[in-house]
Amino acid sequence: MKTLWVVLAVVALTLVGGVGAFWVWAQGAPAEARTHTRAVAIFNAMETYAGSTVYDQAREGEREGEVEIMVATDSPDDGRRIVLAITAHHECRTNWECATRIWPDSSNTYSATRCFEWSEQREWDTADEVDCPKTREIDTTPAETVELPDDAEARLEKALRADEPAASVRALTDLPGLAVREEGARLYVASGGVTGYWSGRAATGCLLGWRVGGEVEVVRLSASPHEDPLSCSWEDARARAQE
């Protein structure tokens, strides 16, 4: 008899637990859940395209739409910290409403906005929800300009003419943002003084070089601070080589 009571108690607790879990699920708001789903995807993108500054990285998240930067700071002790207010929408107010509906009614869209914090310690595919800050704290300090060495053009041309051009070019480790691309016997190179990220690989000075069919050419480009940033990539070198 005692065993029967134990079994009945376990069954009752299981049923109560199941009902409780169902109740929690039924009351859940799909729009709120979608803010977390969006936050995970946005944070993954921010790490994939981190940018030169913390503001660049935060703007990578902002470009997804319906995202507001609340915090973007970078300190020697704590590293980068970003808080984003992320909005999501759904046709149902609760999961129960979705479960009992024959078809969704897009005319009744429910929205939710929640804040999520990213830091350099974040694990991939995660996003921690936090209270939204009352005031915004955003560091918009641009990245420091890294200038090309004065002799960069001559040294790159010499490396491209070497017996092992790819290895010789890669040995020029002091050239900022050095990018080397080998395509069979063709070699394309770019080096630029990186000043930012949002417009691509923005630079005030850019060195493009290529070796195609034994022919070598090096081009040095420059832009003033008031002009559009230069595009400085090995793809630009290949495009010029094909002109």
Side-chain angles (χ1 to χ4, degrees):
M1 180 65 70
K2 184 178 180 180
T3 302
L4 177 60
W5 280 111
V6 170
V7 171
L8 290 174
V10 171
V11 171
L13 288 172
T14 302
L15 290 174
V16 170
V19 171
F22 175 78
W23 175 258
V24 171
W25 173 85
Q27 295 303 305
E32 291 182 13
R34 281 190 176 181
T35 62
H36 180 266
T37 301
R38 291 198 70 208
V40 169
I42 288 168
F43 284 178
N44 287 350
M46 281 168 38
E47 288 190 20
T48 304
Y49 306 99
S52 300
T53 69
V54 66
Y55 186 42
D56 288 337
Q57 188 170 6
R59 292 176 76 184
E60 182 65 34
E62 186 183 46
R63 71 185 297 186
E64 297 297 328
E66 297 193 274
V67 174
E68 183 179 4
I69 302 172
M70 303 302 296
V71 175
T73 58
D74 193 354
S75 70
D77 296 330
D78 302 326
R80 291 184 179 182
R81 176 174 175 262
I82 297 171
V83 176
L84 302 179
I86 298 173
T87 300
H89 310 281
H90 202 277
E91 294 86 3
C92 304
R93 186 190 298 275
T94 65
N95 288 326
W96 175 252
E97 185 181 337
C98 279
T100 57
R101 227 184 230 181
I102 298 177
W103 57 80
D105 182 6
S106 59
S107 63
N108 294 325
T109 300
Y110 302 98
S111 303
T113 299
R114 297 292 182 270
C115 286
F116 296 87
E117 179 178 6
W118 178 92
S119 68
E120 295 179 10
Q121 290 74 40
R122 180 197 83 113
E123 294 184 4
W124 189 260
D125 277 339
T126 64
D128 293 331
E129 184 175 343
V130 296
D131 292 336
C132 289
K134 294 184 188 263
T135 59
R136 299 173 71 191
E137 185 181 2
I138 302 174
D139 181 1
T140 58
T141 305
E144 294 183 4
T145 300
V146 182
E147 301 291 349
L148 287 164
D150 293 337
D151 62 347
E153 190 172 354
R155 290 167 56 210
L156 177 58
E157 183 173 349
K158 181 179 179 180
L160 285 169
R161 295 186 185 280
D163 293 336
E164 297 183 4
S168 298
V169 170
R170 290 192 174 97
L172 303 175
T173 55
D174 64 322
L175 295 188
L178 184 64
V180 183
R181 172 77 171 187
E182 293 181 80
E183 295 183 349
R186 299 182 177 91
L187 183 64
Y188 306 104
V189 183
S191 172
V194 178
T195 58
Y197 165 81
W198 193 245
S199 298
R201 204 165 182 76
T204 55
C206 178
L207 200 61
L208 302 176
W210 55 89
R211 176 168 172 164
V212 178
E215 296 295 323
V216 171
E217 189 166 351
V218 175
V219 177
R220 186 163 187 155
L221 308 173
S222 63
S224 73
H226 303 292
E227 294 178 327
D228 291 336
L230 294 170
S231 176
C232 193
S233 67
W234 66 263
E235 290 96 332
D236 295 309
R238 181 172 64 181
R240 283 180 173 261
Q242 292 173 348
E243 290 179 353

